[in-house]
Amino acid sequence: MLHMETNLEFARVNDWFMIVMLWVLPAVALLLAGLAALMFSGNLPRFLRWRAGELSPTEEEPSISVLIPARNEAAGISDSVQAVLANTGVVLEVVVLDDDSSDSTAELVREIAQDDGRVRLLDGVTLPPGWNGKQHACCRLAEAAQFDLLLFLDADVRLKPTALQQLTRRKAQYADQGPAKGEPISLLSAFPNQETGSLFEKILIPMMHYILLCYLPFDRMRSRTDPGYAAGCGQIFVTDREAYQRSGTHAAIRTSRHDGLQLPRIYRQNGMLTDCVDGTGLANCRMYRGAGEVVRGLLKNAHEGIANWRLLMPFTVLLSGANVLPYVTLGYALVQYSDDNHGVAVWFAALTSFAAIILSHLPRWVAAWKLPQSPTGAFFHPLSIVLFLLLQWWAFFTHLCGKRVSWRGRDS
């Protein structure tokens, strides 16, 4: 009797397991993949739209200070500065802060400054306690800027000749809807074309666009000043001195390594509007080189982004449910089919899972076409999700242990 009851209980559990695997989870996967694809389809045109000629010409050339923090950037600092100097349609200066470099960064900038009076070099100082190196450098650069329009630029970004003109025009626009209607754009960020070389770069670097376009509602971001809609790319930021001072400057995020998120947040906390746009046609950037730099780069500021107690579990569910779960349920359906179980549930699970897989890949393939990004990364999209989530959890536990990833020779 006991043996029969055990078998009956096992049969019930097995039935429930099959219901979950063949009906519930495939439907959940399709729903999550569909929601991400739907958000992407609405956000992508908004991200790209400003390219389409909505910017009206200005009557006079704006004046702008381009501010570049540089630490051991000898390999590319000359190209970066020369690309800025080649810009037309603006009056500009370039201020570079040599942040305690151990290479020839300072000497290379001095050589350019001798030939072009628009270039200045600031010498670095000992990093004060409690400051992140980049935030301290940006704060000093802003204090030294001659003009009221400020553009913070990473040293590995190469601007195109009309980038400054286009960015200043976009910065001069206002919100045209929602509670922030009529408010100026106080902080503008642009995402450069991300150049990728190694396989890890191709797989993981485009995740910045995937997260941004699949999970941030752009219509709300551009019509409200709520801090929860803060987003940006720390490689390019444009602001004006008055708004920058009102935000609290980089001093308000002095300990942060994630200015791409934290700088827009402090603007919004002070009631100001921020925006981010596609900068594919404005600049190129090779952010990291090789797997080691990609891993360290993603780990160094992950806890300020997703790898924290508030966001890590929801994003694990959203990302794995939309992009990994469909493969699990499809595999289970195929196993049931091979066992001669050809019922409606098996066909439902197989077709629903396959549809979810198509939808989950769609944003990456469209992004590879429109932005553009590597087709290799799009092909390995599920692997991208798995690696990205593993790194987020690694960063979460590392942060709990009080450890920080060293970056450019610093732990801060």
Side-chain angles (χ1 to χ4, degrees):
M1 176 68 83
L2 181 61
H3 180 67
M4 292 180 59
E5 289 179 355
T6 302
N7 287 341
L8 184 61
E9 186 64 26
F10 178 79
R12 285 201 195 97
V13 171
N14 188 57
D15 288 344
W16 277 108
F17 181 76
M18 290 187 65
I19 290 172
V20 170
M21 291 298 296
L22 296 177
W23 290 101
V24 178
L25 292 184
V28 169
L30 182 62
L31 175 64
L32 293 177
L35 289 174
L38 184 64
M39 181 73 78
F40 178 88
S41 67
N43 281 340
L44 184 63
R46 294 180 174 93
F47 189 55
L48 303 174
R49 184 180 297 159
W50 76 286
R51 285 186 189 172
E54 68 185 39
L55 303 175
S56 58
T58 54
E59 294 182 357
E60 58 182 28
E61 295 180 335
S63 300
I64 185 167
S65 295
V66 179
L67 312 174
I68 306 177
R71 178 174 170 83
N72 295 331
E73 296 285 357
I77 190 64
S78 296
D79 290 341
S80 179
V81 173
Q82 294 292 359
V84 176
L85 294 175
N87 267 253
T88 59
V90 294
V91 176
L92 66 89
E93 69 163 350
V94 184
V95 189
V96 180
L97 187 141
D98 173 42
D99 188 11
D100 198 24
S101 297
S102 58
D103 61 12
S104 59
T105 297
E107 289 75 9
L108 292 169
V109 176
R110 284 194 186 97
E111 290 177 6
I112 300 174
Q114 289 174 358
D115 297 329
D116 196 317
R118 296 175 295 173
V119 179
R120 287 189 285 143
L121 175 69
L122 297 183
D123 292 323
V125 297
T126 302
L127 187 64
W131 278 84
N132 167 263
K134 181 180 179 182
Q135 314 315 334
H136 183 255
C138 287
C139 204
R140 288 194 60 213
L141 284 163
E143 292 171 355
Q146 174 185 353
F147 301 124
D148 286 335
L149 266 179
L150 312 174
L151 185 140
F152 296 98
L153 186 74
D154 278 5
D156 50 11
V157 177
R158 308 290 179 263
L159 294 183
K160 296 189 178 180
T162 62
L164 294 179
Q165 185 182 59
Q166 293 188 66
L167 286 167
T168 54
R169 288 177 180 178
R170 176 67 182 184
K171 164 70 176 62
Q173 293 188 337
Y174 295 80
D176 58 5
Q177 60 179 344
K181 184 174 182 179
E183 289 291 319
I185 297 173
S186 296
L187 180 71
L188 174 67
S189 178
F191 285 71
N193 174 46
Q194 301 296 327
E195 298 177 345
T196 54
S198 67
L199 180 61
F200 254 59
E201 293 170 64
K202 296 178 189 297
I203 288 175
L204 287 171
I205 297 301
M207 284 298 296
M208 70 167 70
H209 287 98
Y210 182 83
I211 299 294
L212 177 78
L213 295 174
C214 288
Y215 297 101
L216 176 70
F218 264 58
D219 56 343
R220 289 179 174 268
M221 184 264 290
R222 288 181 172 167
S223 63
R224 291 167 170 78
T225 59
D226 307 51
Y229 299 121
C233 176
Q235 295 163 349
I236 299 177
F237 274 123
V238 187
T239 188
D240 59 86
R241 193 182 302 276
E242 188 277 330
Y244 180 66
Q245 293 293 337
R246 185 149 55 102
S247 74
T249 78
H250 282 84
I253 58 168
R254 67 185 65 191
T255 63
S256 174
R257 285 180 161 186
H258 199 340
D259 55 332
L261 179 61
Q262 301 299 340
L263 195 62
R265 181 167 291 162
I266 63 168
Y267 273 72
R268 288 175 170 266
Q269 286 172 348
N270 286 276
M272 291 180 283
L273 191 67
T274 67
D275 191 13
C276 56
V277 297
D278 173 40
T280 299
L282 303 180
N284 296 320
C285 179
R286 179 81 180 270
M287 191 190 317
Y288 304 126
R289 295 177 182 272
E293 279 197 10
V294 172
V295 170
R296 290 196 305 276
L298 292 179
L299 288 176
K300 68 181 172 68
N301 57 16
H303 74 277
E304 296 183 66
I306 292 174
N308 55 70
W309 64 269
R310 186 172 59 90
L311 293 178
L312 184 54
M313 186 55 71
F315 267 98
T316 298
V317 172
L318 289 171
L319 292 174
S320 60
N323 301 283
V324 180
L325 181 60
Y327 290 91
V328 175
T329 54
L330 177 61
Y332 184 79
L334 293 177
V335 168
Q336 293 298 314
Y337 187 88
S338 66
D339 289 341
D340 293 327
N341 183 359
H342 300 168
V344 174
V346 172
W347 281 104
F348 173 83
L351 294 175
T352 304
S353 300
F354 185 72
I357 289 171
I358 296 298
L359 283 175
S360 69
H361 274 266
L362 195 59
R364 284 294 291 267
W365 281 110
V366 174
W369 169 41
K370 286 286 189 179
L371 288 173
Q373 295 172 356
S374 169
T376 303
F379 180 80
F380 287 107
H381 176 58
L383 179 60
S384 303
I385 297 296
V386 172
L387 290 175
F388 179 79
L389 287 175
L390 286 175
L391 289 173
Q392 299 306 304
W393 280 97
W394 182 5
F396 176 72
F397 286 113
T398 299
H399 183 66
L400 284 182
C401 295
K403 298 179 180 179
R404 301 196 79 182
V405 175
S406 178
W407 186 252
R408 295 190 181 275
R410 282 178 174 158
D411 294 327
S412 58

